[in-house]
Amino acid sequence: MQRALRKAIGSKLATCKTRTAISRLSCVFLILGMAEGCEREPSSQASSRPAAQRIISISPNSTEIIAALGAADRLVAVSDFCVWPESITKLPHIGGLFDTNLEALLTLRPDLIVLRGQQKAVEDLCATNGIILFRDTTESLDDIYETLHQLGELLDRKEQAAAVEKRMRQRLMQITTAVADRPRPRILMTIARNTDGLTSVMSAAAGTFVDDMIVAAGGENVFSKSALSYPTISPEAILMSNADVIVEAMPEVKLSPELEMKLLAQWREFGALPAVKNNRVHVVTDDNVTIPSPRIADVIAKLARLFHPGVEIE
């Protein structure tokens, strides 16, 4: 199983190298989401240890959860893909999952390392040096709540974790209530692709936080039944999707009017799609659009406005 996983990840990485910088972060993020076999720090052990004070996060969503818990000041380094809150941009960056700077990790003397995916070198370093390793397995909306409480326990922020979850659930309830009586449009959401053309287009299926976002925002994911969690979809499959709305998630892009025109023009070859015919193709560049953290409620609210124009959503 692990050999097959490594082969799949290697294949995805090879594909990523052919893509532009606009799509690269989304692609790498999704590779991390493919990792399996990760277990969280057992709560019985976590509760017997002092709360972590020097944290290195190699997981963008966990970095945001730590910040939401009011513990961003305990972060001493983050991965190259962590973008929020602004205070963490001044911290040392130690690479990503596949190019982690191990020497820097030790120099910074962490008592907790948060890892998304699998990296044997980091795992061995933690085991050898007595550093607590938290394996972030967040993939769905419910997983965000679970990770929130697991990290809340490790950081002695249980009450804050409960408060963050309550706010998230209240916000999501407001959104789902606002769109509950509306017909669900068919949604095609791209999360990585070659920006020079509609090739190597990646979407998401049921069981992912991307699908959870679409459903919570009042849409129907056209690729929810795909056999792969993150399928690469063909032009033929795009045409057959009959999508009412297309959302392009491109968190790294600086969207100039010229680039937006270029991206939207590429969809004209799919003029039979309702989304194209009705000018309902949207490029979303928010930095958190592909990060499953408490800020996902803001992304869902934005999607709901795109899916259901005219509905008032705070």
Side-chain angles (χ1 to χ4, degrees), residues 46-235:
S47 61
S48 65
R49 295 189 175 107
Q53 298 297 322
R54 295 183 60 83
I55 308 167
I56 294 178
S57 175
I58 316 176
S59 170
N61 59 294
S62 283
T63 296
E64 298 198 4
I65 289 174
I66 290 167
L69 292 171
D73 59 335
R74 301 191 205 176
L75 288 163
V76 295
V78 294
S79 82
D80 293 347
F81 302 108
C82 297
V83 296
W84 186 90
E86 185 177 353
S87 61
I88 63 98
T89 62
K90 301 175 183 179
L91 294 175
H93 284 63
I94 44 76
L97 180 66
F98 299 101
D99 61 349
T100 309
N101 187 330
L102 301 179
E103 183 178 352
L105 289 187
L106 281 178
T107 301
L108 290 164
R109 299 177 291 106
D111 52 16
L112 172 65
I113 292 179
V114 180
L115 179 68
R116 180 181 173 91
Q118 292 180 304
Q119 223 295 15
K120 188 175 186 302
V122 173
E123 295 164 11
D124 290 346
L125 180 144
C126 289
T128 301
N129 294 276
I131 303 169
I132 299 173
L133 177 65
F134 179 84
R135 299 181 188 273
D136 182 344
T137 59
T138 304
E139 182 49 43
S140 68
L141 192 56
D142 284 340
D143 288 340
I144 298 175
Y145 301 132
E146 180 68 15
T147 302
L148 183 66
H149 288 287
Q150 290 279 349
L151 285 172
E153 186 168 2
L154 278 173
L155 305 182
D156 194 21
R157 287 288 188 271
K158 295 180 184 179
E159 292 184 3
Q160 289 86 343
V164 173
E165 178 181 1
K166 182 178 180 180
R167 289 195 297 271
M168 279 186 66
R169 290 189 182 277
Q170 288 176 338
R171 180 84 188 282
L172 293 178
M173 181 59 70
Q174 291 171 350
I175 297 168
T176 55
T177 299
V179 301
D181 296 330
R182 298 274 178 146
R184 287 182 174 269
R186 292 174 57 80
I187 310 300
L188 166 56
M189 189 164 180
T190 74
I191 45 185
R193 75 170 176 93
N194 187 332
T195 55
D196 289 330
L198 287 164
T199 59
S200 301
V201 177
M202 187 180 289
S203 190
T208 66
F209 78 93
V210 175
D211 183 75
D212 286 347
M213 289 195 301
I214 292 171
V215 173
E220 176 188 345
N221 180 8
V222 295
F223 290 109
S224 64
K225 296 181 180 180
S226 174
L228 298 175
S229 295
Y230 295 104
T232 298
I233 53 179
S234 67

Side-chain angles (χ1 to χ4, degrees), residues 274-294:
V276 178
K277 287 192 293 186
N278 297 320
N279 296 315
R280 299 194 68 185
V281 180
H282 308 280
V283 181
V284 177
T285 61
D286 302 52
D287 63 11
N288 59 325
V289 67
T290 56
I291 297 178
S293 77

Side-chain angles (χ1 to χ4, degrees), residues 246-263:
I246 295 170
V247 176
E248 298 242 61
M250 295 183 171
E252 305 88 356
V253 71
K254 293 182 179 179
L255 193 63
S256 65
E258 293 77 16
L259 180 56
E260 184 175 23
M261 288 179 61
K262 172 186 173 181
L263 296 174

